[in-house]
Amino acid sequence: MDFMEHWERMIQEQELERDRLRVHQITVQVDDKKKSKHHVRKKNSVIEYGLVERDLHDENLLGRHQLYFADRETLAQQDRMKVKTAFGELGNEHAAASAIFPYLAEHFPRFLEETPFAISYNPFAEAWIIEGTLPPGTMGGVIYIALAKEDGTLLMMFGTK
């Protein structure tokens, strides 16, 4: 298999993975300043997300293993934004999505462009991990967020390059 065939196969796999994440949708209002610097209007933005079950032995988790199987203290050490807020109990991925996406729309709207989002549950930290995605074949970083299940505390938020 030559380089181009390998590259095309990798892009197809990335497209399939992103399609699997388009299971659920939530609509949030985002400030739209494109038309005018002074006049801000609200626009609806549809955010797609899906639950991803993480396997401890998955070789694709290399480098992200510390997020999906870390304890709460380790997650808190990864926090780079230093935002302290809580959203209330988050019993499932829909509650986590309903809490974090409106918050991102208000405070960090550029991160919403990383849709669809993968939401995973970390049983060691009892936290929801929200991860942005990039279009297939695109290089760059994504946002990672951890929310405590019992009270919705924002444990960690950082972006990669």
Side-chain angles (χ1 to χ4, degrees), residues 6-69:
H6 178 70
W7 181 257
E8 288 172 0
R9 194 174 106 226
M10 186 180 74
I11 288 176
Q12 288 174 340
E13 289 173 2
Q14 289 173 339
E15 287 174 353
L16 286 173
E17 177 65 24
R18 284 172 54 92
D19 286 344
R20 283 188 219 115
L21 294 175
R22 298 182 197 282
V23 178
H24 306 288
Q25 295 182 342
I26 186 170
T27 302
V28 295
Q29 286 197 339
V30 183
D31 290 345
D32 184 16
K33 301 177 187 176
K34 291 181 182 174
K35 303 257 183 206
S36 167
K37 292 182 180 182
H38 304 292
H39 180 66
V40 178
R41 63 183 184 95
K42 298 281 187 185
K43 74 173 187 173
N44 287 338
S45 182
V46 176
I47 309 302
E48 298 170 316
Y49 66 96
L51 181 66
V52 177
E53 300 281 337
R54 299 293 182 187
D55 177 9
L56 185 62
H57 304 293
D58 184 355
E59 60 193 37
N60 293 323
L61 290 180
L62 194 66
R64 293 182 290 173
H65 189 273
Q66 70 273 15
L67 297 179
Y68 300 114
F69 303 104

Side-chain angles (χ1 to χ4, degrees), residues 76-123:
Q77 290 171 357
Q78 298 285 330
D79 186 26
R80 295 189 190 125
M81 300 285 202
K82 305 296 184 208
V83 175
K84 301 297 177 206
T85 189
F87 302 101
E89 184 178 355
L90 306 173
N92 57 35
E93 73 272 17
H94 307 299
S98 297
I100 197 62
F101 295 135
Y103 177 81
L104 289 177
E106 184 178 342
H107 299 285
F108 305 100
R110 69 182 183 278
F111 293 142
L112 295 178
E113 296 169 7
E114 298 176 9
T115 190
F117 286 84
I119 300 179
S120 303
Y121 183 68
N122 174 330

Side-chain angles (χ1 to χ4, degrees), residues 66-67 70-87 100 103-104 108 111 128-130 142-148 152-160:
Q66 70 273 15
L67 297 179
D71 60 20
R72 193 168 285 197
E73 184 178 319
T74 304
L75 287 177
Q77 290 171 357
Q78 298 285 330
D79 186 26
R80 295 189 190 125
M81 300 285 202
K82 305 296 184 208
V83 175
K84 301 297 177 206
T85 189
F87 302 101
I100 197 62
Y103 177 81
L104 289 177
F108 305 100
F111 293 142
W128 295 102
I129 307 294
I130 297 100
V142 295
I143 186 78
Y144 290 93
I145 301 167
L147 299 172
T153 300
L154 183 61
L155 300 172
M156 169 207 75
M157 182 165 49
F158 72 90
T160 57

